[in-house]
Amino acid sequence: MMDSPDSLFSSAFFSSAVAVTLAEMGDKTQLLTLFLTLKFRNRWAIVLAIVLATLVNHGLSAWFGVWLGDRLELWLSDGWIDWLLAGSFMAMGLWVLIPDKDDGGESRFLAFGAFFATLVLFSLAELGDKTQVATVLLAAEWQQPMLVTLGTTLGMLIANVPVIWFGQALLQRTPLDRVRYVTSICFFAGGVWILLM
């Protein structure tokens, strides 16, 4: 998939930002962000920790996605790769319909303060999360780990920074079920788009 740098930036970066923004709506990390904001009230420390945790987590995930995409190319013909990636996007579309459960046992990290508690808890919450899987899939598709990482990090910030500043009022007005349905449709559309490319 050799495109010009401009189209690569707009495609890999933009699609990654949009996919993660949508996948993050109603996710447990959004609820964790609200909890941390109410607990610490140090908004900038929380934002910086989210940026760092996301860059590390999604950066590693993107590099794994590129590695996985390279291996799939060796093992499968081009047609099969497209079908596998499209199926993965559609599976993500089903996965986002399942609401996250709140994971307990995180209180021991709260003694670390706003920045370190957010860094640790956010990193743990992202392990195996929908947005991490989406990052792997996006990097496997685009083979641009830096642009995918930057896009997914921006998507994470778009979804979580308003929660930091507007908190509970914003989440109470957001119809999370509708957001999940729209997100699911977007992932299915992404799968169809991969097949039509």
Side-chain angles (χ1 to χ4, degrees):
M1 182 179 308
M2 297 301 291
D3 295 326
S4 71
D6 288 339
S7 67
L8 274 176
F9 184 82
S10 62
S11 298
F13 178 81
F14 181 74
S15 64
S16 298
V18 169
V20 168
T21 300
L22 292 173
E24 186 65 9
M25 293 299 169
D27 193 69
K28 66 184 170 210
T29 46
Q30 239 183 4
L31 299 175
L32 176 62
T33 300
L34 176 62
F35 169 74
L36 290 165
T37 302
L38 296 174
K39 173 75 176 167
F40 293 110
R41 301 192 188 280
N42 187 344
R43 294 174 175 159
W44 287 110
I46 294 169
V47 170
L48 290 174
I50 289 173
V51 169
L52 181 58
T54 305
L55 283 172
V56 171
N57 182 292
H58 288 198
L60 294 172
S61 300
W63 284 106
F64 175 71
V66 169
W67 177 85
L68 185 63
D70 288 343
R71 297 308 168 274
L72 290 175
E73 269 189 283
L74 293 175
W75 296 333
L76 303 171
S77 68
D78 283 339
W80 280 105
I81 292 171
D82 290 343
W83 280 100
L84 183 64
L85 287 172
S88 298
F89 270 75
M90 291 177 185
M92 283 291 298
L94 292 175
W95 190 7
V96 298
L97 293 174
I98 302 168
D100 284 320
K101 295 176 185 156
D102 185 22
D103 297 329
E106 298 165 340
S107 60
R108 65 183 175 269
F109 297 110
L110 297 178
F112 294 164
F115 179 80
F116 288 109
T118 303
L119 183 65
V120 170
L121 293 175
F122 217 85
S123 297
L124 291 174
E126 276 297 291
L127 293 176
D129 195 56
K130 292 183 276 273
T131 51
Q132 186 183 43
V133 174
T135 302
V136 171
L137 296 174
L138 288 160
E141 169 65 17
W142 294 109
Q143 295 290 302
Q144 295 292 322
M146 184 66 71
L147 294 178
V148 168
T149 300
L150 293 174
T152 58
T153 301
L154 177 62
M156 190 67 74
L157 292 173
I158 291 169
N160 285 291
V161 168
V163 174
I164 294 170
W165 264 267
F166 305 111
Q168 199 168 9
L170 181 65
L171 288 180
Q172 287 174 345
R173 292 188 179 126
T174 304
L176 295 181
D177 287 340
R178 280 191 220 154
V179 171
R180 284 191 191 101
Y181 292 134
V182 170
T183 302
S184 177
I185 290 167
C186 289
F187 274 109
F188 269 94
V192 171
W193 181 69
I194 289 169
L195 293 176
L196 295 178
M197 283 179 40

